[in-house]
Amino acid sequence: MTKPLPYSEPLRLHQIGAGLNRTLEPTAEERARIAKSLDLVSLDSFTTELTVTPTVSGWRIDGRVKAELVQACGLTLEPVPDSINQTFLVNLTEQPYEPETDENGEIDLELEDDFPDVVEDGKIDLGQYAVEQLALTLNPFPRKEGAVFEQPPEPVELSPFAVLKSLKDDSKG
């Protein structure tokens, strides 16, 4: 059983026409589900502006994610507020990319290769792309200002032999 998406705004391909503009603003309940799925303390505001346009090989989504959110500090777990205002671009196609293979049947991929996402069931879930782009812009290691990691002291030797040795030393005393 698949886990339900925290936010979904499906768009059927026939609705795009020559192009389409949408602004997505999840409700407070939807923002709470998104915050929970992204492990945020809170998601106070979240807006995504999207333009979907047809291309020669499929479709293109140009967008901007804006959000006011709070993450937990990775060291102290204290709240760390953050503002996000980021643009993004996603290419889509109905045909899955089939990489070329060499004479040995091996595929040569480069890190810079950016393959288009595959549209399934004739629809694009704009809400899913909005949440995905928000997740990609989050600070992976939020840290409250002034928070410093301090190395804990090295643990003392707690092997069974060390315990026996301390018992032997105590009996001599």
Side-chain angles (χ1 to χ4, degrees):
M1 183 173 199
T2 59
K3 188 176 175 183
L5 298 172
Y7 181 57
S8 182
E9 287 287 335
L11 172 69
R12 307 247 7 123
L13 294 178
H14 67 80
Q15 294 174 292
I16 298 171
L20 174 74
N21 293 320
R22 286 266 171 95
T23 300
L24 306 180
E25 294 187 61
T27 64
E29 182 181 304
E30 292 166 331
R31 286 195 319 270
R33 285 197 310 263
I34 295 167
K36 183 178 180 182
S37 74
L38 298 178
D39 200 25
L40 301 174
V41 174
S42 69
L43 181 57
D44 303 320
S45 71
F46 179 36
T47 305
T48 308
E49 298 163 355
L50 303 155
T51 301
V52 184
T53 51
T55 65
V56 173
S57 59
W59 298 267
R60 173 181 165 144
I61 300 175
D62 292 284
R64 176 175 296 277
V65 173
K66 297 178 185 177
E68 296 295 324
L69 56 96
V70 178
Q71 290 180 280
C73 174
L75 297 175
T76 66
L77 299 179
E78 294 178 68
V80 179
D82 197 6
S83 293
I84 291 176
N85 185 352
Q86 187 72 40
T87 60
F88 66 91
L89 167 73
V90 177
N91 289 306
L92 304 154
T93 184
E94 283 189 289
Q95 298 299 319
Y97 175 74
E98 295 293 331
E100 294 181 23
T101 58
D102 63 13
E103 61 276 356
N104 298 325
E106 293 185 10
I107 299 171
D108 185 29
L109 297 176
E110 300 292 326
L111 287 176
E112 294 82 33
D113 289 345
D114 186 23
F115 304 113
D117 287 1
V118 178
V119 175
E120 296 178 3
D121 299 327
K123 63 184 173 190
I124 301 168
D125 193 334
L126 299 178
Q128 183 178 347
Y129 280 106
V131 172
E132 178 181 279
Q133 294 303 318
L134 174 63
L136 290 171
T137 61
L138 292 175
N139 182 348
F141 304 106
R143 187 176 288 187
K144 186 170 177 90
E145 192 173 322
V148 179
F149 176 73
E150 294 181 19
Q151 179 71 32
E154 291 295 322
V156 262
E157 188 177 340
L158 294 176
S159 73
F161 300 109
V163 173
L164 290 173
K165 181 180 179 191
S166 71
L167 290 174
K168 184 177 177 185
D169 291 343
D170 287 346
S171 65
K172 287 183 179 180

